Amino acid sequence: MIETIFTRIIRGEIPSHKVYEDERVFAFLDIAPLSPGHTLVVPKEPAATLDGLSDESAAAVGRVLPRIARAVIAATGTPDYNILQNNGAPAHQVVPHVHFHVIPKPGDGRGLGIGWPGGRLDAEDGKRLAAAIAARLAKD
Ligand code: 5GP
């Protein structure tokens, strides 16, 4: 497991604007916010991508994400927001330590911009892919 800047932030070796901490989770303001209140929610476990995260850390993050979102809404007065979670450099992940972005969307152009080039799900492809995913899930 490589050590990233987030591990050093969690340890307090690098300063951050912390908003939340418990046994498994650390949350702080993003240093380059897309909008005011842009917050990073990070499991302390240093998994690089979400698929490598333990059930315990995943549950801990899932338990506090809605609470942190509510606090960001209250503090910014912005009710709309995106949750973003990037995995792998081609998917725009820069820091290889799992993190969830909470990004307020104030409605003035700030916040997350998304391209969404949706295709059309072919029935045969859908059947094959759903079966493959379900079969792998049955083994996990
Ligand atoms: P990613 O592209 O990996 O999903 O997002 C990484 C995020 O971490 C970026 O939004 C970036 O601004 C933020 N970030 C990187 N280094 C630091 C840092 O040292 N402190 C804080 N607070 N945020 C950081």
Side-chain angles (χ1 to χ4, degrees), residues 5-6 9 14-17 28-34 38 40 84-87 91-97 99 101:
I5 196 157
F6 287 176
I9 288 174
I14 293 175
S16 71
H17 292 284
F28 54 99
L29 297 182
D30 195 295
I31 202 167
L34 292 180
H38 183 165
L40 299 173
L84 176 69
Q85 204 278 310
N86 299 324
N87 298 280
H92 307 288
Q93 185 179 18
V94 173
V95 179
H97 181 144
H99 53 281
H101 298 255

Side-chain angles (χ1 to χ4, degrees), residues 1-103:
M1 218 56 89
I2 58 161
E3 186 167 300
T4 70
I5 196 157
F6 287 176
T7 297
R8 301 193 61 207
I9 288 174
I10 290 165
R11 282 202 210 112
E13 293 167 7
I14 293 175
S16 71
H17 292 284
K18 180 170 91 171
V19 302
Y20 178 82
E21 181 173 13
D22 65 28
E23 195 191 333
R24 294 185 188 275
V25 181
F26 195 94
F28 54 99
L29 297 182
D30 195 295
I31 202 167
L34 292 180
S35 57
H38 183 165
T39 298
L40 299 173
V41 182
V42 184
K44 290 183 175 176
E45 181 184 333
T49 54
L50 188 66
D51 49 283
L53 197 62
S54 68
D55 285 358
E56 291 74 21
S57 289
V61 170
R63 195 173 66 86
V64 297
L65 253 181
R67 265 200 262 159
I68 292 172
R70 283 194 289 276
V72 171
I73 289 169
T76 61
T78 303
D80 303 314
Y81 62 97
N82 293 97
I83 300 292
L84 176 69
Q85 204 278 310
N86 299 324
N87 298 280
H92 307 288
Q93 185 179 18
V94 173
V95 179
H97 181 144
V98 173
H99 53 281
F100 290 74
H101 298 255
V102 180
I103 311 171

Side-chain angles (χ1 to χ4, degrees), residues 91-136:
H92 307 288
Q93 185 179 18
V94 173
V95 179
H97 181 144
V98 173
H99 53 281
F100 290 74
H101 298 255
V102 180
I103 311 171
K105 189 72 179 171
D108 57 5
R110 290 179 296 174
L112 183 66
I114 305 178
W116 198 282
R120 174 179 277 272
L121 180 62
D122 173 81
E124 278 308 309
D125 285 347
K127 199 171 158 185
R128 184 180 49 77
L129 275 169
I133 294 167
R136 180 63 183 79

